Amino acid sequence: MATTPSLPSNVPVLIAGGGPVGLTLAALLAHHGVSCLVLEADASWCEGSRAICLSRRSLEILGWVGADRPLRAKGLAWIGGRSYFRDAEVLHFEMPSDPAERFAPMVNIQQYYIEQYAHAAALRAGGVDVRWSTRVNAVRPQASGVDVDFQTENGCTRSIRADWLVACDGGRSTVREQLGLQLEGMQYEGRYVIVDIEQDTRRRVERLAWFDPPSNRGSTILMHRQPDNIWRIDYQLADHEDPVEAVKPENVLPRVQAHLDMIGETAPWKPLWISIYNAKCLTLPRYRDGRVLFAGDAAHLVPIFGVRGLNSGLDDAGNLAWKLSLVQQGHAGDTLLDSYSSERVLAARENIAFGAKSTEFMAPPNAGFALLREAALRLALVAPGVRSLINPRQTSPVEYVDSPLNQPDPGTAFAGGPRAGMPAPEARLRTSQGMGHLTEFFGSGFVALYFSNNPRLPQGVQRAADASRSGVAALRVVRISAQGTPDPRSVVDELGQAWQRYGAMEGTLYLVRPDGYVMGRWREAASMGIDIDRALERALKDLP
C-alpha cells in the first residue's frame, strides 16, 4: 500500500482550499518557482457543475501553466445568447469573434473539469503537494509566518509553519473566520434552484434565458449547454417557496420536465445534481492581513449573473502568483503584496456593482424592481433599441486605475493603445516558430515590447535584454517590426494589429507585467533614455 509522504515543518506557501482558484494559484506559483502545500477538506474535485462559464481572460491565465489545451478540447464555446419574455424572443446577441484571438470569448465547462486540469498542471510543474480530505482548523499569525493547525484524513491534528498563507477556502472561509474578518456588502433574498441534467440535444451553444415562461409562470429560467450532454438549468423560486422543499427531486423534476416540453427538448433525460443559490455582493475591504492573503470566494462573493465569480477568482490567482513569488524569492519587498489587495479589491467592487445591477433584473428584490423589469421586457417586444438593456453585461478584465505599479505617463501623447493599468491587447504575429499570438509571451516574467523596424535596440533596452538579472525579476525584450524576418528576439506584425492596437510608432516601448497588464509605456524610448531595469527596481522595491 502506498504511504502518504510526510510533511516538512515549514513550507514557503500554504494554500487553504483546493478548488479551482487554489489549484490554479498552486500551478502558477510552481510555474514561477515557488513550492506550496494545498490543503483541501473535500476528498477530490467538486461534484456538480457549479461555476461553468470561463472567460477569455481566465483561459489565458490557465494557459500560462498549460491547462488551456484540455479546457479548449473539452469546453463548448458560446455562439451567443437569446432571451425570451414569456414565449417571445426579446434579445438575440452573438459573441464577438476575432480570428486574431487565441481563445473564444466564453467557454462552457463544468467546474470539476477546471479543477482537474489545474490540478494536473500543478503536479506537472513540480513543487506542489496537494492533500485531500485535510481540513484547516486553526490559524495563528506570527511575525515571520503563519502557524496552521489542520486535521488529516485519519483524524489526526497536525501543525505546520508557512511563510505565507493564502485563503482560497470559499465563501465560508475558515481562515477568514479564524482571523475575525468580516465580508462587507449585501445579500439578496431571491433564490435559484440549480439543476444538472443529462440529455442529448442539437441546440447551439447559447446562453438561454426566459422571463415568466409559460412552463414556469412567474419564474426566470437560465440554460447553458455543457460538455457530456449536460444541461445546466437555473430557475428562480417564488418568495413563498420553502428552500428545503424546493430542492427535493419530486418538486424539481416536474418543473424541469415542463420547461423541456415547452422548448421541444424531447430526448430522455436524467437528473445529476441539484443545489440552491442566492446572490451575494460581499467583499473584504483588504485582501492582505499580515502574512495571510485572500483570493476567490474567501475574499469576495459576487452574483452569478455575468459569470464574474470564478473568473474574478482566477484573476486573483493571476495577479497574486507573480507578486508572491517575487517577494518569496527576495526580488521585491512585501509591500508589492499590498498592490495585489488594492488592485483586486477595486476589481471586486466593480464586479459587485455590475453584478448587483444584473441581479436586480434577473431576481428583482421587491415589487418595484419587478414592475420595472416587466415594463422593460414589454417595451423590448416592440422597441429593439432597448433590448441590450436586458442582457447582463458579461465579465471583462478590470482596469487597475491608480495602481501603485503604474509608471507615470511621460506626457507624450498616444493616439490610442492601453494605458498603464490596462490589460495588454492580443495580436496575431509571425514568430521564428510560425504564426503565434502576442499574449503567448505573457505569464512568466516581465515583457518589454519595443516597436521598431530597426534591429538596433536603444541602450537602456539593450542593457535590459542582455542583463543576467540576478537582482531583478526576469524580463524578456521582444522587438515588434512591421516587416522583415522574425528571430528569437523579434516578431513581425504582418497584419498590423499590434502597432494599431498599441497606438505605436517607431521607437514606442511598452512594459508588460507577468499577468499581462501594462505597467508603463513610452512613445520614443531611445530619445527618452528609458532604463527598464531601473523602472522595475522602483516598482518592485521602492513601493511606499
Side-chain angles (χ1 to χ4, degrees):
M1 177 181 294
T3 58
T4 302
S6 61
L7 287 171
S9 59
N10 183 280
V11 293
V13 178
L14 190 153
I15 299 173
V21 176
L23 291 171
T24 299
L25 177 61
L28 290 167
L29 286 170
H31 178 65
H32 288 292
V34 174
S35 299
C36 60
L37 170 66
V38 181
L39 303 182
E40 169 53 46
D42 289 341
S44 185
W45 309 305
C46 72
E47 296 181 356
S49 60
R50 300 183 186 269
I52 64 167
C53 302
L54 275 185
S55 69
R56 176 180 285 145
R57 169 68 179 169
S58 292
L59 288 165
E60 182 180 331
I61 292 169
L62 290 160
W64 299 339
V65 293
D68 60 315
R69 291 185 290 273
L71 283 165
R72 284 190 287 179
K74 189 70 175 179
L76 303 178
W78 285 23
I79 294 173
R82 297 177 189 270
S83 297
Y84 301 86
F85 179 43
R86 295 177 180 159
D87 57 357
E89 184 178 295
V90 291
L91 174 70
H92 175 215
F93 68 89
E94 294 183 356
M95 297 299 283
S97 179
D98 185 340
E101 296 285 353
R102 290 168 64 196
F103 306 113
M106 199 73 66
V107 170
N108 283 352
I109 188 167
Q110 297 92 317
Q111 180 174 314
Y112 46 78
Y113 283 123
I114 302 169
E115 294 179 2
Q116 177 182 339
Y117 301 149
H119 181 227
L123 297 184
R124 279 197 308 272
V128 176
D129 187 354
V130 179
R131 300 296 175 103
W132 305 102
S133 302
T134 305
R135 183 180 300 276
V136 171
N137 290 331
V139 175
R140 297 183 301 280
Q142 308 296 334
S144 60
V146 186
D147 291 332
V148 178
D149 294 345
F150 59 93
Q151 184 174 316
T152 64
E153 184 176 9
N154 60 13
C156 296
T157 298
R158 296 193 54 188
S159 297
I160 195 169
R161 167 67 66 90
D163 295 341
W164 298 93
L165 170 63
V166 185
C168 300
D169 52 344
R172 299 174 181 174
S173 169
T174 298
V175 177
R176 194 178 63 228
E177 179 183 342
Q178 282 282 302
L179 297 181
L181 303 176
Q182 298 291 323
L183 296 169
E184 301 175 352
M186 66 176 296
Q187 176 171 304
Y188 290 88
E189 295 299 323
R191 293 158 299 183
Y192 272 75
V193 170
I194 302 172
V195 190
D196 284 351
I197 69 168
E198 183 178 348
Q199 183 189 44
D200 189 20
T201 182
R202 296 182 180 276
R203 282 183 183 259
R204 288 152 55 101
V205 183
E206 297 179 307
R207 190 226 65 185
L208 302 172
W210 288 264
F211 301 94
D212 193 20
S215 62
N216 285 265
R217 295 307 300 266
S219 181
T220 300
I221 297 178
L222 301 173
M223 290 184 73
H224 288 87
R225 270 191 65 191
Q226 300 177 76
D228 307 327
N229 289 328
I230 306 299
W231 276 116
R232 161 68 173 268
I233 303 173
D234 304 45
Y235 64 83
Q236 186 183 9
L237 295 178
D239 291 342
H240 66 271
E241 292 185 83
D242 182 344
V244 175
E245 292 294 317
V247 295
K248 292 181 177 179
E250 61 266 28
N251 295 320
V252 172
L253 304 189
R255 296 179 76 156
V256 172
Q257 184 65 66
H259 187 69
L260 294 173
D261 290 343
M262 186 195 84
I263 64 175
E265 292 289 343
T266 59
W269 63 278
K270 63 179 180 181
L272 300 176
W273 179 69
I274 300 172
S275 186
I276 196 166
Y277 164 87
N278 69 316
K280 301 174 180 67
C281 292
L282 302 168
T283 182
L284 286 172
R286 290 175 300 279
Y287 296 168
R288 180 188 177 192
D289 190 278
R291 285 183 169 259
V292 182
L293 300 135
F294 294 84
D297 286 355
H300 47 74
L301 293 168
V302 299
I304 60 173
F305 312 113
V307 298
R308 294 177 175 83
L310 173 58
N311 289 302
S312 63
L314 294 177
D315 237 330
D316 292 344
N319 186 299
L320 176 59
W322 68 272
K323 296 176 180 178
L324 183 53
S325 299
L326 290 179
V327 172
Q328 181 64 20
Q329 293 163 345
H331 295 308
D334 67 2
T335 53
L336 180 62
L337 297 173
D338 294 329
S339 74
Y340 162 72
S341 178
S342 62
E343 289 176 353
R344 295 310 299 161
V345 168
L346 180 148
R349 296 193 185 284
E350 181 171 312
N351 282 322
I352 284 171
F354 284 114
K357 293 177 182 178
S358 298
T359 300
E360 289 161 359
F361 192 89
M362 301 300 294
N366 55 49
F369 278 100
L371 185 63
L372 287 172
R373 184 180 79 171
E374 182 167 345
L377 290 167
R378 288 183 179 278
L379 185 59
L381 291 170
V382 296
V386 305
R387 291 178 178 176
S388 62
L389 300 177
I390 66 177
N391 180 36
R393 175 179 166 179
Q394 309 303 326
T395 182
S396 60
V398 173
E399 178 182 357
Y400 297 142
V401 179
D402 297 328
S403 168
L405 299 183
N406 293 349
Q407 298 300 292
D409 196 303
T412 307
F414 274 78
R419 300 180 295 274
M422 296 179 68
E426 180 65 281
R428 186 95 164 130
L429 303 164
R430 182 169 296 283
T431 73
S432 59
Q433 304 299 314
M435 294 302 293
H437 293 89
L438 182 54
T439 58
E440 294 179 74
F441 291 104
F442 306 153
S444 293
F446 290 85
V447 179
L449 303 177
Y450 181 59
F451 291 82
S452 176
N453 292 312
N454 185 347
R456 184 180 178 85
L457 301 178
Q459 184 178 15
V461 178
Q462 184 68 57
R463 185 165 53 247
D466 295 339
S468 62
R469 322 208 57 74
S470 58
V472 185
L475 178 137
R476 180 177 183 179
V477 176
V478 179
R479 182 174 66 89
I480 303 177
S481 65
Q483 57 193 9
T485 302
D487 59 49
R489 283 192 173 187
S490 67
V491 296
V492 179
D493 185 20
E494 292 180 345
L495 304 177
Q497 293 175 340
W499 283 61
Q500 188 272 326
R501 292 174 183 179
Y502 284 79
M505 59 182 289
E506 178 67 32
T508 294
L509 176 70
Y510 274 82
L511 181 58
V512 180
R513 300 169 8 170
D515 58 0
Y517 268 78
V518 173
M519 188 169 168
R521 63 177 182 174
W522 299 270
R523 174 56 81 191
E524 297 179 8
S527 63
M528 299 176 69
I530 299 300
D531 187 329
I532 300 176
D533 275 347
R534 182 60 192 137
L536 286 177
E537 286 280 3
R538 285 195 300 268
L540 300 181
K541 296 192 174 182
D542 298 343
L543 285 176

